Amino acid sequence: ATLESDLAAERDQLSAMMASKEREIRLLRDQINEHMREYQDLLDIKVSLDLEIAAYRKLLEGEEERSVTVMLL
């Protein structure tokens, strides 16, 4: 009976450890998903800002060309 009770106790301990690890894995997956959402949000903002910068750069280049043309006349 001692061997059986020892095995049962070990099984219970291992089951508790397994459940703890499964909770830890779930938590880490949730954190990864949250980080991925944050990363995607930041990437969307970056792309938006890059497009806005490109538009302003084009406007500035157009102004510079007009200024040079006016100076040459």
Side-chain angles (χ1 to χ4, degrees):
T2 304
L3 180 60
E4 287 179 10
S5 63
D6 288 348
L7 288 174
E10 188 175 348
R11 184 186 65 233
D12 292 344
Q13 181 183 7
L14 291 174
S15 291
M17 286 174 56
M18 187 72 129
S20 173
K21 291 298 178 188
E22 287 173 355
R23 282 191 301 273
E24 187 178 349
I25 288 170
R26 261 194 316 276
L27 177 65
L28 290 171
R29 282 188 179 144
D30 290 346
Q31 288 175 348
I32 288 170
N33 287 334
E34 180 61 28
H35 288 307
M36 290 299 292
R37 279 190 294 275
E38 290 173 3
Y39 173 78
Q40 189 60 51
D41 290 345
L42 290 172
L43 190 59
D44 291 345
I45 291 169
K46 180 197 177 296
V47 168
S48 220
L49 290 172
D50 284 345
L51 291 172
E52 193 170 341
I53 289 169
Y56 281 112
R57 183 173 288 132
K58 189 172 182 179
L59 286 172
L60 285 173
E61 288 170 356
E63 284 296 315
E64 288 173 0
E65 287 176 13
R66 256 191 11 217
S67 295
V68 168
T69 303
V70 168
M71 293 173 121
L72 292 176
L73 294 177

